[in-house]
Structures are given as C-alpha cells and as structure tokens.
Amino acid sequence: MTSLGTASAAPGEIDTGRLSVGETRDGSPLGLPVCVVNGAADGDTLYIQAASDGDELNGVGVVRSLVPQLDPDDLAGTVLVVGIVNLHAFQVAEHRNPIDDTKLNRAFPGDEHGSSSERIAAAAFEAATGADLVLDLHQGSTSRMIHETRVRCGPRHHLHSECLELAKTFDCGHILDQKGPDGQLARAAPDEGVPTIDPELGGAVGLDEESVAIGVEGIFNVLTAYGFLDGDVDPGDQVRATGFEQYGAPAGGLVDFAPDLGEHVEQGDRLFHVTDAFGTVQAETTADVDGVFWRTRRLPQVATGEYVCSVGTDIDRF
C-alpha cells in the first residue's frame, strides 16, 4: 500500500483523500485534497502539486484533467498529487494565504509547529521529498505570460543538470534557468536530492484551457520519458533565459504593447507606449537588452512606476 494522508492505494489502484494540515477558524479539520495513483508495476514516484499560490488555477485544471486519464494498470511506479496546496487562499480566490498573509511558495521546507503556511508547506514538503521527481504547477498569476518551466536550484547546484533535463522533458518551449528565492519548493527540494521544476503555465483569470492542455501534455512527457509509462519522448529545443529585465510605466495612462509574447526583441525595439484617455502618447519604452518578450500585465491602466512587462535575457537554446 502507498499512502498520502487518508488516501491509500495498493498496486493497481487509485484513491483520494485528505492530508491534514490543522483546523479552520471554526475548528473544522483542514485537509488538502490528495490522490495516490499506485501503478501495477514497480517504479519511481512522481509528486505533483498545484495552487501553492491560491489564485493560480491552471495547475488545478491540469490535475483535474490528468488524474482521470491515469490507468494504474499501465503505470510503473506511483504518482502522488496534492491538488490544492494553499487551500485557505484557494477558497477566497487570493494569491497569499489569508490566515497569515504569506506567499506559501516562500515557506518551504516549512515547519510543522510554525505558522499556517509553514505547517502546510511542511506537510507538502514531506510528501515531495519522499518522491524521485517533483512538478510544482504554477502560472503567472493573473498576468499574461508565456508557457515556461523554471529551474530554481541555481546553476552551481549539484542537481542542476537533472532539473534542467526534467524541464526540457516537460517541453513547453521556454525555460527560465535562474536561482529562485528562498522558500520556493523548486529551490528547497533539490537540496534534499529530488529533481524539481516549476512549470509556469501561462497566466489567466480562472482557467485557461490551452495552458491546461500544455500542462497535461508536459506531465505525460515526464511520465513517458522517466519510465512510468511505455513509449518514447523526443522533446524539442527549448528557448532558455537566465535573467529578466522588468519595465515599469514612465507615465500614467493606458498601455499598448508592440511585440507579442514569446517574440524576440532587440535592444532599442519599442516594447510599449502609454497614452492618456484621449489617445495622446505620454511616454514610450524601448528594450534595454536583446531578449524574449516574456510577461506583461493583463489590464492596460497603469500609474507611474507600476509594473508593465518583462523581457527574458541571456537567451540560448537547450
């Protein structure tokens, strides 16, 4: 039997349940929704989690679509899934855990005796670090962003090449290869010897079906390439960035973008201009460096100095 929380499955079985992480404000048990898919044949363990940022729903959409497609009779090994990590935030459609005003993906490896987010992170981290591979499903929150996988352990980490290969296998076209902030699962889990990536599946308000489909395909790529399922995978070359340039608004008003997401830009190319409500251009911003147009705000209205867009820099192909 393989168990995660109250979910327990023998070889060839699937079960769902809850992973206890404390109680809600009225004293009701708080349990994260979990699933165990235990393959009929022996093999490695893949851990998948979604919505550690509570408004990033594409990962939840991936899990919802993925699990019904997994047949344990065809599977060698085990897939463990935490379908919603930041449950407090998910329930109120917020990014941060409202109980302690914390971005949960800055709380790993967590503390089982700590704050609400630290306790949740500790429970998820224990499950993740018992696996052989980890996929932490994210998106660009509610902004607009390309589909990418993030390698967050840093280029000098002893598992960097393994994480990079996992990111390429996921095969969604772009990789950000940049050491992440303290507390990210994709940075903390490699320290425990587990290759981990952070797929960022676009950006959306609610669910974006294209992003969900790309995420499901990426997971099946991993399951096939790493021997959980029969078959072959031939991932394409990925566009890799190792840095970002972020751009703020030089004036207040309404933003119009020049390039499309994923488009290559050169130093001096116009990225956007800002107009007033009557169409008069107030300011224009050009690229400081060559790169790829990576991410933008979703709504056009900006105040002076407000975030507008990002360009991925130091580009190569991997």
Side-chain angles (χ1 to χ4, degrees):
M1 300 289 285
T2 299
S3 298
L4 178 59
T6 63
S8 188
E13 293 182 348
I14 297 178
D15 193 27
T16 60
R18 293 278 169 168
L19 177 63
S20 177
V21 288
E23 297 176 345
T24 63
R25 287 169 170 165
D26 68 356
S28 302
L30 181 69
L32 311 182
V34 297
C35 179
V36 175
V37 186
N38 195 352
D42 292 338
D44 288 340
T45 298
L46 173 66
Y47 172 86
I48 302 167
Q49 69 172 36
S52 67
D53 296 314
D55 61 348
E56 296 187 4
L57 303 185
N58 283 339
V60 181
V62 170
V63 168
R64 181 179 67 168
S65 178
L66 172 74
V67 171
Q69 299 183 56
L70 294 177
D71 185 344
D73 288 335
D74 297 333
L75 191 70
T78 304
V79 179
L80 304 177
V81 185
V82 179
I84 302 168
V85 178
N86 196 346
L87 192 56
H88 288 297
F90 174 86
Q91 289 174 334
V92 293
E94 293 182 3
H95 191 75
R96 301 165 70 90
N97 182 351
I99 303 301
D100 54 14
D101 191 31
T102 296
K103 181 176 172 67
L104 201 148
N105 198 32
R106 298 294 185 272
F108 292 95
D111 179 351
E112 64 179 352
H113 303 295
S115 68
S116 171
S117 293
E118 289 172 335
R119 289 169 186 251
I120 294 170
F125 193 72
E126 181 179 3
T129 53
D132 298 287
L133 301 168
V134 170
L135 304 177
D136 182 15
L137 304 178
H138 285 266
Q139 68 184 55
S141 192
T142 57
S143 63
R144 298 171 60 244
M145 193 167 71
I146 61 175
H147 301 104
E148 53 160 318
T149 51
R150 293 189 170 186
V151 174
R152 298 309 244 162
C153 62
R156 297 183 179 180
H157 197 280
H158 69 284
L159 283 188
H160 178 255
S161 61
E162 287 87 345
C163 293
L164 194 58
E165 189 62 36
L166 181 58
K168 181 172 182 174
T169 301
F170 197 89
D171 194 18
C172 66
H174 294 81
I175 295 173
L176 177 66
D177 184 7
Q178 184 185 60
K179 189 174 184 178
D182 287 341
Q184 288 190 327
L185 178 60
R187 179 170 171 185
D191 289 344
E192 301 300 319
V194 186
T196 302
I197 59 169
D198 173 352
E200 295 273 353
L201 301 171
V205 177
L207 291 170
D208 175 71
E209 292 304 321
E210 178 187 357
S211 300
V212 169
I214 288 172
V216 172
E217 182 178 3
I219 294 176
F220 273 110
N221 288 341
V222 170
L223 289 170
T224 303
Y226 286 85
F228 295 86
L229 295 173
D230 291 336
D232 297 307
V233 174
D234 184 19
D237 286 344
Q238 311 289 297
V239 176
R240 177 173 63 167
T242 57
F244 267 137
E245 287 285 336
Q246 294 190 354
Y247 296 85
L254 300 168
V255 171
D256 287 303
F257 295 105
D260 293 327
L261 287 176
E263 187 175 327
H264 285 262
V265 297
E266 296 182 356
Q267 184 178 8
D269 286 352
R270 181 166 65 87
L271 298 178
F272 63 89
H273 64 242
V274 181
T275 72
D276 64 17
F278 307 104
T280 302
V281 175
Q282 303 297 304
E284 180 177 283
T285 294
T286 59
D288 295 329
V289 293
D290 298 348
V292 172
F293 200 54
W294 205 270
R295 181 174 182 168
T296 77
R297 64 183 295 107
R298 182 169 296 277
L299 297 176
Q301 61 268 40
V302 292
T304 304
E306 192 169 8
Y307 171 80
V308 176
C309 65
S310 301
V311 172
T313 63
D314 303 313
I315 301 297
D316 65 6
R317 300 191 75 87
F318 170 75

Coordinates of all heavy atoms in Angstrom, one line a residue, residues 77-149:
G77 N 5.3 2.4 -11.1 CA 5.6 3.4 -10.1 C 4.3 4.1 -9.6 O 3.2 3.6 -9.8
T78 N 4.5 5.2 -9.0 CA 3.5 5.9 -8.2 C 3.4 7.3 -8.6 O 4.5 8.0 -8.7 CB 3.7 5.7 -6.7 OG1 3.8 4.3 -6.4 CG2 2.5 6.3 -5.9
V79 N 2.2 7.9 -8.7 CA 2.0 9.3 -8.8 C 1.3 9.8 -7.6 O 0.2 9.3 -7.3 CB 1.2 9.7 -10.1 CG1 1.0 11.2 -10.2 CG2 2.0 9.1 -11.3
L80 N 1.9 10.7 -6.9 CA 1.3 11.4 -5.7 C 0.9 12.8 -6.1 O 1.7 13.5 -6.7 CB 2.2 11.4 -4.5 CG 2.8 10.1 -4.1 CD1 3.8 10.4 -2.9 CD2 1.7 9.1 -3.6
V81 N -0.4 13.2 -5.8 CA -0.9 14.5 -6.2 C -1.5 15.2 -5.0 O -2.3 14.6 -4.3 CB -1.9 14.4 -7.3 CG1 -2.3 15.8 -7.7 CG2 -1.4 13.5 -8.4
V82 N -1.0 16.5 -4.7 CA -1.7 17.4 -3.8 C -2.4 18.4 -4.8 O -1.8 19.2 -5.4 CB -0.8 18.1 -2.8 CG1 -1.6 19.0 -2.0 CG2 -0.1 17.0 -2.0
G83 N -3.7 18.3 -4.9 CA -4.4 19.0 -5.9 C -4.6 20.5 -5.6 O -4.6 21.3 -6.5
I84 N -4.6 20.9 -4.3 CA -4.7 22.3 -3.9 C -3.9 22.4 -2.6 O -4.2 21.9 -1.6 CB -6.1 22.7 -3.6 CG1 -7.0 22.5 -4.8 CG2 -6.2 24.2 -3.2 CD1 -8.5 22.7 -4.5
V85 N -2.7 23.1 -2.7 CA -1.8 23.2 -1.6 C -2.3 24.4 -0.7 O -2.5 24.2 0.5 CB -0.4 23.4 -2.0 CG1 0.5 23.6 -0.8 CG2 0.1 22.2 -2.8
N86 N -2.5 25.6 -1.3 CA -2.8 26.8 -0.5 C -4.3 26.9 -0.4 O -5.0 27.7 -1.0 CB -2.2 28.0 -1.2 CG -2.2 29.2 -0.2 OD1 -2.9 29.2 0.8 ND2 -1.5 30.2 -0.6
L87 N -4.9 26.0 0.4 CA -6.3 25.8 0.4 C -7.1 27.0 1.0 O -8.1 27.4 0.5 CB -6.7 24.5 1.2 CG -8.1 24.0 1.2 CD1 -8.5 23.8 -0.3 CD2 -8.3 22.8 2.0
H88 N -6.5 27.6 2.0 CA -7.1 28.9 2.6 C -7.3 29.9 1.5 O -8.3 30.6 1.3 CB -6.3 29.4 3.7 CG -6.3 28.6 5.0 ND1 -7.5 28.5 5.7 CD2 -5.3 28.0 5.7 CE1 -7.2 27.7 6.8 NE2 -5.9 27.5 6.8
A89 N -6.2 30.1 0.7 CA -6.2 31.2 -0.4 C -7.1 30.8 -1.5 O -7.8 31.6 -2.1 CB -4.8 31.4 -0.9
F90 N -7.1 29.5 -1.9 CA -7.9 29.0 -3.0 C -9.4 29.3 -2.7 O -10.2 29.7 -3.5 CB -7.7 27.5 -3.1 CG -8.6 26.8 -4.1 CD1 -8.3 26.8 -5.5 CD2 -9.7 26.2 -3.7 CE1 -9.1 26.2 -6.4 CE2 -10.6 25.6 -4.6 CZ -10.3 25.6 -6.0
Q91 N -9.8 29.1 -1.4 CA -11.2 29.2 -1.1 C -11.7 30.6 -1.2 O -12.9 30.9 -1.3 CB -11.5 28.6 0.3 CG -11.3 27.1 0.4 CD -11.4 26.5 1.8 OE1 -11.1 27.2 2.7 NE2 -11.9 25.3 1.9
V92 N -10.8 31.6 -1.1 CA -11.2 33.0 -1.2 C -10.6 33.7 -2.4 O -10.7 34.9 -2.6 CB -10.8 33.8 0.1 CG1 -11.6 33.3 1.3 CG2 -9.3 33.7 0.3
A93 N -10.1 32.8 -3.4 CA -9.5 33.3 -4.6 C -8.5 34.4 -4.5 O -8.5 35.4 -5.2 CB -10.7 33.8 -5.5
E94 N -7.5 34.2 -3.5 CA -6.4 35.1 -3.3 C -5.1 34.4 -3.5 O -5.0 33.2 -3.5 CB -6.5 35.6 -1.9 CG -7.7 36.5 -1.6 CD -7.7 37.1 -0.2 OE1 -6.7 36.8 0.6 OE2 -8.6 37.7 0.2
H95 N -4.1 35.2 -3.8 CA -2.8 34.6 -4.1 C -2.1 34.1 -2.8 O -1.5 33.1 -2.8 CB -1.9 35.7 -4.7 CG -0.6 35.3 -5.3 ND1 -0.5 34.6 -6.4 CD2 0.7 35.4 -4.8 CE1 0.8 34.3 -6.7 NE2 1.5 34.8 -5.7
R96 N -2.2 34.9 -1.7 CA -1.5 34.6 -0.5 C -2.4 34.0 0.5 O -3.7 34.2 0.4 CB -0.9 35.9 0.1 CG 0.0 36.7 -0.8 CD 0.3 38.1 -0.3 NE 1.1 38.1 0.9 CZ 2.4 38.2 1.0 NH1 3.1 38.2 -0.1 NH2 3.0 38.2 2.2
N97 N -1.9 33.2 1.4 CA -2.7 32.6 2.5 C -3.2 33.7 3.4 O -2.5 34.4 4.0 CB -1.8 31.6 3.3 CG -2.5 30.9 4.4 OD1 -3.7 31.2 4.7 ND2 -1.9 30.0 5.0
P98 N -4.5 33.9 3.4 CA -5.1 35.0 4.2 C -5.0 34.8 5.7 O -5.1 35.7 6.5 CB -6.6 35.0 3.8 CG -6.9 33.6 3.4 CD -5.6 33.1 2.7
I99 N -4.7 33.6 6.1 CA -4.6 33.3 7.6 C -3.3 34.0 8.2 O -3.4 34.5 9.3 CB -4.6 31.8 7.9 CG1 -5.8 31.1 7.3 CG2 -4.4 31.5 9.4 CD1 -7.1 31.7 7.9
D100 N -2.2 34.0 7.4 CA -1.0 34.6 7.9 C -0.4 35.6 6.9 O 0.8 36.0 7.1 CB 0.0 33.5 8.3 CG 0.3 32.6 7.2 OD1 0.0 32.8 6.0 OD2 0.9 31.5 7.5
D101 N -1.1 35.9 5.9 CA -0.7 36.9 4.8 C 0.7 36.5 4.3 O 1.6 37.3 4.2 CB -0.7 38.3 5.4 CG -0.5 39.3 4.3 OD1 -0.9 39.1 3.2 OD2 0.1 40.4 4.6
T102 N 0.8 35.2 3.9 CA 2.1 34.7 3.4 C 1.9 34.1 2.0 O 0.9 33.5 1.7 CB 2.6 33.6 4.4 OG1 2.8 34.2 5.7 CG2 3.8 32.9 3.9
K103 N 2.9 34.4 1.2 CA 3.0 33.7 -0.1 C 3.6 32.3 0.2 O 4.7 32.1 0.6 CB 3.9 34.4 -1.0 CG 4.1 33.8 -2.4 CD 4.9 34.7 -3.3 CE 5.2 34.0 -4.6 NZ 4.0 33.8 -5.5
L104 N 2.7 31.3 0.1 CA 3.1 29.9 0.5 C 4.3 29.4 -0.2 O 5.1 28.6 0.4 CB 1.9 29.0 0.4 CG 1.9 27.8 1.3 CD1 0.5 27.4 1.7 CD2 2.6 26.6 0.6
N105 N 4.5 29.8 -1.4 CA 5.7 29.3 -2.1 C 7.0 30.1 -1.8 O 7.9 30.2 -2.6 CB 5.5 29.3 -3.7 CG 6.5 28.4 -4.4 OD1 7.0 27.4 -3.9 ND2 6.9 28.8 -5.6
R106 N 7.0 30.6 -0.6 CA 8.2 31.2 0.0 C 8.4 30.5 1.4 O 9.2 31.0 2.2 CB 8.1 32.7 0.2 CG 8.0 33.4 -1.1 CD 9.3 33.3 -2.0 NE 9.2 34.1 -3.2 CZ 8.6 33.8 -4.3 NH1 8.1 32.5 -4.4 NH2 8.6 34.6 -5.4
A107 N 7.6 29.5 1.7 CA 7.6 28.9 3.1 C 8.2 27.5 3.2 O 8.3 27.0 4.3 CB 6.1 28.8 3.6
F108 N 8.7 27.0 2.1 CA 9.3 25.6 2.1 C 10.7 25.7 2.6 O 11.4 26.7 2.4 CB 9.3 25.0 0.7 CG 7.9 24.7 0.2 CD1 7.2 25.6 -0.6 CD2 7.3 23.5 0.5 CE1 5.9 25.3 -1.0 CE2 6.0 23.2 0.1 CZ 5.3 24.1 -0.7
P109 N 11.2 24.7 3.4 CA 10.6 23.4 3.7 C 9.5 23.4 4.7 O 9.0 22.3 5.0 CB 11.8 22.6 4.1 CG 12.7 23.6 4.8 CD 12.5 24.9 4.0
G110 N 9.2 24.5 5.3 CA 8.1 24.6 6.3 C 8.5 24.3 7.7 O 9.7 24.0 8.0
D111 N 7.5 24.3 8.6 CA 7.7 24.0 10.0 C 6.4 23.4 10.5 O 5.4 24.1 10.5 CB 8.2 25.2 10.7 CG 8.4 25.0 12.2 OD1 8.1 23.9 12.7 OD2 8.9 26.0 12.9
E112 N 6.4 22.2 10.9 CA 5.2 21.6 11.4 C 4.6 22.2 12.7 O 3.5 21.9 13.0 CB 5.4 20.1 11.6 CG 6.3 19.7 12.7 CD 6.5 18.2 12.9 OE1 5.7 17.5 12.2 OE2 7.4 17.8 13.6
H113 N 5.4 23.0 13.3 CA 4.9 23.7 14.5 C 4.8 25.2 14.3 O 4.7 26.0 15.3 CB 5.9 23.5 15.7 CG 6.0 22.0 16.0 ND1 5.0 21.2 16.5 CD2 7.1 21.2 15.9 CE1 5.4 20.0 16.6 NE2 6.7 19.9 16.3
G114 N 4.9 25.7 13.0 CA 5.0 27.1 12.7 C 3.7 27.7 12.4 O 2.6 27.3 12.9
S115 N 3.7 28.7 11.5 CA 2.6 29.4 11.1 C 1.7 28.5 10.2 O 2.1 27.4 9.8 CB 3.0 30.7 10.3 OG 3.6 30.3 9.1
S116 N 0.5 29.0 9.8 CA -0.3 28.3 8.9 C 0.4 27.8 7.7 O 0.4 26.7 7.3 CB -1.6 29.1 8.6 OG -2.4 28.5 7.6
S117 N 1.0 28.8 7.0 CA 1.7 28.5 5.7 C 2.9 27.5 6.0 O 3.1 26.6 5.1 CB 2.2 29.7 5.0 OG 1.1 30.5 4.6
E118 N 3.6 27.7 7.0 CA 4.7 26.8 7.3 C 4.3 25.4 7.6 O 4.9 24.4 7.2 CB 5.5 27.4 8.5 CG 6.3 28.6 8.2 CD 6.9 29.3 9.4 OE1 6.4 29.0 10.5 OE2 7.9 30.0 9.3
R119 N 3.1 25.2 8.3 CA 2.6 23.9 8.5 C 2.2 23.2 7.3 O 2.4 22.0 7.1 CB 1.5 24.0 9.5 CG 1.9 24.4 11.0 CD 0.7 24.7 11.8 NE 1.1 25.2 13.1 CZ 1.0 24.5 14.3 NH1 0.4 23.3 14.3 NH2 1.4 25.0 15.4
I120 N 1.5 24.0 6.4 CA 1.1 23.4 5.1 C 2.3 23.0 4.3 O 2.3 21.9 3.7 CB 0.2 24.4 4.4 CG1 -1.2 24.6 5.1 CG2 -0.1 23.9 2.9 CD1 -2.0 25.7 4.6
A121 N 3.3 23.9 4.2 CA 4.5 23.6 3.5 C 5.2 22.4 4.0 O 5.7 21.6 3.2 CB 5.4 24.9 3.5
A122 N 5.2 22.3 5.3 CA 5.9 21.1 5.9 C 5.3 19.8 5.5 O 6.0 18.8 5.2 CB 6.0 21.2 7.4
A123 N 4.0 19.8 5.5 CA 3.3 18.5 5.1 C 3.5 18.2 3.6 O 3.7 17.1 3.3 CB 1.8 18.7 5.4
A124 N 3.4 19.2 2.8 CA 3.6 19.0 1.3 C 5.1 18.6 1.1 O 5.4 17.8 0.3 CB 3.3 20.3 0.6
F125 N 6.0 19.3 1.8 CA 7.4 19.0 1.6 C 7.8 17.6 2.0 O 8.6 16.9 1.3 CB 8.3 20.0 2.4 CG 9.7 20.1 2.0 CD1 10.1 20.6 0.8 CD2 10.7 19.6 2.9 CE1 11.5 20.7 0.5 CE2 12.0 19.6 2.6 CZ 12.4 20.2 1.3
E126 N 7.2 17.1 3.0 CA 7.5 15.7 3.4 C 7.1 14.7 2.3 O 7.8 13.8 2.0 CB 6.7 15.3 4.7 CG 7.0 13.9 5.2 CD 6.3 13.6 6.5 OE1 5.5 14.5 7.0 OE2 6.5 12.5 7.0
A127 N 5.9 15.0 1.7 CA 5.5 14.1 0.6 C 6.4 14.3 -0.6 O 6.7 13.3 -1.3 CB 4.0 14.4 0.2
A128 N 6.7 15.5 -0.9 CA 7.5 15.8 -2.1 C 8.9 15.2 -2.0 O 9.4 14.6 -3.0 CB 7.7 17.3 -2.3
T129 N 9.5 15.3 -0.9 CA 10.9 14.8 -0.8 C 11.0 13.3 -0.5 O 12.1 12.7 -0.5 CB 11.6 15.5 0.4 OG1 10.9 15.4 1.6 CG2 11.9 17.0 0.0
G130 N 9.8 12.6 -0.4 CA 9.8 11.2 -0.5 C 9.7 10.6 -1.9 O 9.7 9.4 -2.1
A131 N 9.6 11.5 -2.9 CA 9.5 11.1 -4.3 C 10.8 11.2 -5.0 O 11.8 11.6 -4.4 CB 8.5 12.0 -5.0
D132 N 10.8 10.8 -6.2 CA 12.0 10.8 -7.1 C 12.1 12.0 -8.0 O 13.1 12.4 -8.4 CB 12.1 9.5 -7.9 CG 12.2 8.2 -7.1 OD1 13.2 8.0 -6.5 OD2 11.2 7.5 -7.0
L133 N 10.9 12.5 -8.3 CA 10.8 13.7 -9.2 C 9.6 14.6 -8.6 O 8.7 14.0 -8.1 CB 10.5 13.3 -10.6 CG 11.5 12.4 -11.4 CD1 10.8 11.9 -12.7 CD2 12.8 13.2 -11.7
V134 N 9.7 15.9 -8.8 CA 8.7 16.8 -8.3 C 8.3 17.8 -9.4 O 9.2 18.4 -10.1 CB 9.1 17.6 -7.1 CG1 8.2 18.7 -6.7 CG2 9.3 16.6 -5.9
L135 N 7.0 18.0 -9.6 CA 6.5 19.0 -10.5 C 5.6 19.9 -9.7 O 4.6 19.5 -9.1 CB 5.7 18.4 -11.6 CG 6.4 17.4 -12.5 CD1 5.4 16.8 -13.6 CD2 7.6 18.0 -13.2
D136 N 5.9 21.2 -9.6 CA 5.2 22.2 -8.8 C 4.5 23.1 -9.8 O 5.1 24.0 -10.3 CB 6.1 22.9 -7.8 CG 5.4 23.9 -7.0 OD1 4.2 23.9 -6.9 OD2 6.1 24.8 -6.4
L137 N 3.2 22.9 -10.0 CA 2.5 23.6 -11.1 C 2.1 25.0 -10.7 O 1.4 25.2 -9.7 CB 1.2 22.8 -11.5 CG 1.5 21.3 -11.9 CD1 0.2 20.6 -12.2 CD2 2.4 21.2 -13.1
H138 N 2.5 26.0 -11.5 CA 2.2 27.4 -11.3 C 1.7 28.0 -12.6 O 1.6 27.4 -13.6 CB 3.5 28.1 -10.8 CG 3.8 27.8 -9.4 ND1 3.4 28.6 -8.3 CD2 4.6 26.8 -8.9 CE1 3.9 28.1 -7.2 NE2 4.6 27.0 -7.5
Q139 N 1.4 29.3 -12.5 CA 1.2 30.1 -13.7 C 1.6 31.5 -13.3 O 2.0 31.8 -12.1 CB -0.3 30.1 -14.1 CG -1.2 30.8 -13.0 CD -2.7 30.7 -13.4 OE1 -3.2 29.6 -13.6 NE2 -3.4 31.8 -13.5
G140 N 1.6 32.4 -14.3 CA 2.0 33.8 -14.0 C 0.9 34.6 -13.3 O 0.6 35.8 -13.6
S141 N 0.3 34.0 -12.3 CA -0.8 34.6 -11.6 C -1.9 35.1 -12.6 O -2.2 34.3 -13.5 CB -0.4 35.7 -10.6 OG -1.4 36.1 -9.7
T142 N -2.4 36.3 -12.4 CA -3.4 36.8 -13.4 C -2.8 37.6 -14.5 O -3.5 38.2 -15.3 CB -4.5 37.6 -12.6 OG1 -3.8 38.7 -11.9 CG2 -5.2 36.7 -11.6
S143 N -1.5 37.7 -14.6 CA -0.8 38.4 -15.7 C -0.8 37.6 -16.9 O -1.2 36.4 -16.9 CB 0.6 38.8 -15.3 OG 1.4 37.7 -15.0
R144 N -0.3 38.1 -18.0 CA -0.1 37.4 -19.3 C 1.3 36.9 -19.3 O 2.3 37.7 -19.1 CB -0.4 38.3 -20.5 CG -1.8 38.8 -20.5 CD -2.0 39.8 -21.6 NE -1.7 39.3 -23.0 CZ -0.7 39.7 -23.7 NH1 0.2 40.6 -23.3 NH2 -0.5 39.2 -24.9
M145 N 1.5 35.6 -19.6 CA 2.9 35.1 -19.6 C 3.0 33.9 -20.6 O 2.0 33.2 -20.8 CB 3.3 34.7 -18.2 CG 4.8 34.4 -18.1 SD 5.4 34.2 -16.4 CE 4.7 32.7 -15.9
I146 N 4.2 33.8 -21.1 CA 4.4 32.6 -22.0 C 4.4 31.3 -21.1 O 4.4 31.4 -19.9 CB 5.8 32.7 -22.7 CG1 6.9 32.8 -21.6 CG2 5.9 33.9 -23.6 CD1 8.3 32.8 -22.3
H147 N 4.3 30.2 -21.8 CA 4.4 28.9 -21.1 C 5.9 28.6 -20.9 O 6.7 28.6 -21.8 CB 3.7 27.8 -21.9 CG 2.3 28.1 -22.1 ND1 1.8 28.5 -23.3 CD2 1.2 28.0 -21.3 CE1 0.5 28.7 -23.2 NE2 0.1 28.4 -22.0
E148 N 6.3 28.2 -19.7 CA 7.7 28.0 -19.4 C 7.8 27.0 -18.3 O 6.9 26.8 -17.5 CB 8.4 29.3 -19.0 CG 7.7 30.0 -17.8 CD 8.5 31.0 -17.1 OE1 9.7 30.7 -16.8 OE2 8.0 32.1 -16.8
T149 N 9.0 26.4 -18.1 CA 9.4 25.7 -16.9 C 10.5 26.4 -16.3 O 11.4 27.0 -16.9 CB 9.8 24.3 -17.3 OG1 10.8 24.3 -18.3 CG2 8.6 23.4 -17.7

